[in-house]
Amino acid sequence: MENDSRSSDPKLVIDTFREVVRSRRSVRKFDETPLPDDVIRDCLELAMLAPNSSNLQPWDFHVVRSPELRKAMVPACFGQNAARTAQAMIVVVARTDTWSAHCRDMLKQWPGGEVPKLARQYYEKLAPFNYAQGPFGLFGLMKRLVFGVVGLFRPVPRFPVSPAEMKLWATKSTALACENLMLALRAHGFDSCPLEGFDEVRIQKVLKLPRSHSVVMIVAAGKRSESGVYGEQFRFDSDRFVHFL
């Protein structure tokens, strides 16, 4: 009963929420505690469970642990404190290949090349609807209506077909993947900080990434340093922007 009363204390709830928000926003310094390989791998496995249409958004995770590489990345990350003190820099690259390429990649994941019948049917049944978007939209719509009425095919969710749609889709799903990653790190007793700005071209050169790769987000990870939890930060003045009418 005592725990229940504490959990229902409004002040305690507000104070806890405030600490969580401030720590997520303000952590900019990590100590020298290394991140174990199994922790990073487990966190990245959870990051890949981010929701996205048909689970057809693959990512490349580049875990930068080498001191030399991390030092080279600091200028490309505009010298942010998190970049200077992080024990690992996780660069998340969203692949923006075509939708059909994603289907082929998914079918190649099964060992031995033997794709389960249900999985093959799931991806291959989408083939008749490849022209449902773009200049053949009307033709594709008619095909959907005909097959939907006769019950030969199930309705298929809309998928991105243009490079612009792929980029938008990849960015949204990658943001969810990075959120999963940061929550997983916190569950393992570590902390993280999404870098608020970086030079994408210089990052690609440091890591020798293909130019076709687009860096979506970089997460600095490590053990939080108590001396750097609530460091100096820029903020809007609430007295100027909060108006009571």
Side-chain angles (χ1 to χ4, degrees), residues 38-158:
D38 58 339
V39 170
I40 296 178
R41 185 174 298 277
D42 181 64
C43 292
L44 293 180
E45 289 286 345
L46 295 175
M48 296 181 71
L49 296 178
N52 52 78
S53 298
S54 302
N55 289 324
L56 289 177
Q57 175 57 63
W59 298 278
D60 288 331
F61 296 99
H62 301 272
V63 184
V64 182
R65 305 185 66 183
S66 163
E68 293 77 14
L69 281 180
R70 283 192 283 119
K71 183 177 181 181
M73 288 180 63
V74 170
C77 296
F78 307 125
Q80 298 180 61
N81 289 335
R84 290 199 300 264
T85 60
Q87 294 303 305
M89 302 275 285
I90 303 174
V91 180
V92 186
V93 179
R95 297 186 184 180
T96 54
D97 300 332
T98 64
W99 175 83
S100 298
H102 286 340
C103 285
R104 291 194 298 269
D105 288 342
M106 295 297 286
L107 291 175
K108 291 178 182 178
Q109 296 302 315
W110 277 273
E114 296 183 3
V115 182
K117 182 179 179 180
L118 290 178
R120 183 176 295 279
Q121 288 178 347
Y122 176 78
Y123 292 109
E124 291 185 348
K125 74 175 182 179
L126 306 181
F129 300 99
N130 280 345
Y131 295 104
Q133 308 293 330
F136 301 100
L138 181 60
F139 176 70
L141 178 60
M142 293 175 60
K143 198 168 11 176
R144 282 194 180 198
L145 291 175
V146 172
F147 289 139
V149 170
V150 300
L152 295 179
F153 291 84
R154 296 179 181 177
V156 178
R158 185 177 184 276

Side-chain angles (χ1 to χ4, degrees), residues 27-39:
V27 172
R28 294 293 182 271
K29 187 176 181 181
F30 303 97
D31 63 23
E32 298 181 356
T33 303
L35 274 82
D37 291 342
D38 58 339
V39 170

